[in-house]
Amino acid sequence: MSSTRLSSPRHILRVLVLSLAVCGTAQAAAPTPFAVQAVTITADGATRRPIAPGIYEAAYSPATQALYVASAEATTGTQGGVIYKLDPETLQTLGITHTNDENFGLAMDPSGKTLYITNSLNAGVSALDTETGRIKAQTTFTERSKDGSAYGPRKIIYDESQKALYVGGVGDPGVIWQVDAATLQVKAVIQNAGKWVTGLLLDSDAHRLYAANGGGEVLVIDTQENRILERWTPGDGKEWLLLNLALDKSRHRLYVTDHSKQKTVAVFDTRTGKMTNRLDTAGDSLDIQFDAQRDQLYISHREAGTFSIVDADTQKTVRTYDLPPMPNSVLISPNHKTVYVTIKTPPNKDYSASGAGSIARIALP
């Protein structure tokens, strides 16, 4: 269940900041010029610029032809977050939307007119109008984990066939919400999704949703019935904490990262649910994307401070970029010529960020 409200465009909210309150309204900043930010070119040829403490995921809007970056503005004594609108070529700031809540995961509708945001610390989801830069709707999930704590919405994904969102809830046991994309009302709740729902991937043609969790499981979910059909595990007797997923449909391969336990990428056969390989040469792996057009995998490695390109046929690393200190999320541009990587800084003892996070733009060879 959820409580949903529309925001008032008359409210002007100031920027707040935290690390990982109540969902409120938000308003885009006034149309004033933004200072030009310093951009550096790395030794590997990537373009990079700092943005703000506590940045997380990025998304691209075909409607505004702009890049959007979620930030929790993670500095001590500040609450709330910001959505940054960037030029995808120069990485310069085009707009800023201040929000009451810290921002984490992003999903764009196909038209690019609505950006959906998970507010992990406040158990909510927001919808931003990309043309006005205003938050136009919000919802707060009311379910509680078995210890009584609120779930933390992490990953969010848009399902065009149902005009709905799937949102993974971090808790024990985890849940997955199906939310109406227009109203943000909860349509269904998938219960008992394992310890911490960490990653989601949609195969809309097959009506399947894959979900990874911290208990080392991959859930296979029927999106027509919102029912868990299968639970896959690596089956090697080792402890896994699975995170993000990528699907190579033609080879029936599902890739799932493990950043902290096995520090590798598990490869599952989607026909059998069995793990068939590990990409150990990739090292600790956080986010992963499959580019079918180029037949490549793109992987961020937080501990190593690197980003790698992997040949999807041979499953061998073909190029590595140094992007210290902590590469985070990965986004492929619509024309498949560019990859964007968000980069975090190590947390302080109070979970605030030790410095400004940044974004890198990599022109694919």
Side-chain angles (χ1 to χ4, degrees), residues 145-165:
S145 187
K146 65 182 180 182
D147 64 359
S149 62
Y151 283 100
R154 186 178 187 270
K155 295 294 290 187
I156 184 168
I157 194 164
Y158 187 91
D159 183 356
E160 171 67 13
S161 66
Q162 300 189 79
K163 300 294 189 294
L165 304 162

Side-chain angles (χ1 to χ4, degrees), residues 1-4 122-125 138-144 150-151 153 167 175-179 184-191:
M1 297 180 64
S2 67
S3 59
T4 306
N122 300 292
V125 168
Q138 295 175 296
T139 193
T140 303
F141 300 111
T142 58
E143 288 82 4
R144 290 291 184 270
Y151 283 100
V167 184
V175 299
I176 301 170
W177 297 279
Q178 185 193 44
V179 178
L184 295 190
Q185 291 286 348
V186 173
K187 299 174 64 177
V189 182
I190 302 169
Q191 303 280 1

Side-chain angles (χ1 to χ4, degrees), residues 308-330:
S308 64
I309 300 176
V310 176
D311 185 301
D313 181 29
T314 64
Q315 300 184 18
K316 302 297 183 182
T317 300
V318 296
R319 185 158 183 180
T320 300
Y321 294 79
D322 288 321
L323 295 175
M326 300 167 63
N328 196 58
S329 66
V330 179

Side-chain angles (χ1 to χ4, degrees), residues 32-78:
T32 55
F34 296 96
V36 175
Q37 298 296 313
V39 174
T40 58
I41 306 298
T42 71
D44 302 308
T47 302
R48 178 171 174 171
R49 67 150 285 198
I51 300 178
I55 67 168
Y56 286 97
E57 295 191 354
Y60 177 82
S61 166
T64 62
Q65 297 183 20
L67 194 67
Y68 293 82
V69 179
S71 170
E73 298 294 298
T75 56
T76 303
T78 313

Side-chain angles (χ1 to χ4, degrees), residues 26-27 29 41 51 68 79 107 114 131 156 165 185 235-236 239 273 276 286 302 327 336 349 352 360 362:
Q27 179 167 333
I41 306 298
I51 300 178
Y68 293 82
Q79 299 174 343
T114 302
E131 295 183 341
I156 184 168
L165 304 162
Q185 291 286 348
D236 58 0
E239 185 180 6
T276 58
L286 186 72
R302 180 178 288 186
H336 297 264
K349 289 183 179 180
S352 63
I362 298 172

